[in-house]
Amino acid sequence: MPGAGLPALTTPPPSKSSWGTWIAFVIVFAVLFGGAGYAYRAEIKSRLPESWRTLLHPKGAAAAPARPQVGIDMAATKIDLVDGRYVVQGELVNTGTAPGSTSRLKLVFRAGNEILAERAMPMVEGPIAPGARMSFKLPLDEPPAGATNIIPTVD
């Protein structure tokens, strides 16, 4: 009866299980650690002891073939006017896994976004060891009139 002054009898709320929260935390951490391991797998592999690396890649597994990848370091390359002639001087770098050489220098002459001309010149340099650099200096023919940018590449 209302107003009788007796304490109200209520049923206690059901107890909540925290298993769902713990499982969610475990899944989130597994995804985070798995993603970090995948992103940094090369660094992790290089720090492993040699015996562990052989376990990960047995001798029967096919290894990637060693290949050179010679290119021009654009940060260390410049084109200057020397004694009335244009000269390309810079550095070649081999980022591959085998020694490599160059056979020719290709030049693209541009004016803004427009390609004015393309030229190829023989440039035999090398062999360049993997991870090594080699300086080069090569005089150029006259660029086409109106050229504002010269982009060098090597083969």
Side-chain angles (χ1 to χ4, degrees):
M1 206 174 206
L6 295 174
L9 298 175
T10 60
T11 58
S15 65
K16 293 184 181 179
S17 174
S18 62
W19 285 107
T21 305
W22 284 107
I23 290 173
F25 278 129
V26 168
I27 290 172
V28 167
F29 283 123
V31 168
L32 286 175
F33 284 120
Y38 182 76
Y40 295 102
R41 65 187 177 274
E43 289 84 3
I44 293 169
K45 182 179 172 187
S46 68
R47 292 176 184 233
L48 288 175
E50 187 63 38
S51 61
W52 288 22
R53 282 187 239 159
T54 56
L55 288 175
L56 293 174
H57 295 288
K59 294 183 181 187
R67 293 189 179 163
Q69 188 158 355
V70 178
I72 295 178
D73 181 1
M74 295 304 285
T77 300
K78 59 184 178 176
I79 300 174
D80 290 326
L81 187 62
V82 177
D83 296 328
R85 238 179 139 176
Y86 284 98
V87 176
V88 178
Q89 62 185 62
E91 289 187 357
L92 298 169
V93 62
N94 184 358
T95 58
T97 56
S101 301
T102 63
S103 58
R104 66 182 174 159
L105 174 71
K106 291 194 284 187
L107 302 165
V108 177
F109 298 93
R110 302 185 105 176
N113 290 333
E114 181 183 349
I115 296 176
L116 299 177
E118 293 183 25
R119 295 187 187 151
M121 310 171 63
M123 183 173 96
V124 179
E125 299 286 341
I128 304 169
R133 296 175 167 267
M134 179 180 282
S135 297
F136 72 94
K137 186 175 184 179
L138 191 66
L140 302 178
D141 296 333
E142 286 300 313
T148 57
N149 192 10
I150 303 172
I151 303 169
T153 57
V154 290
D155 283 346

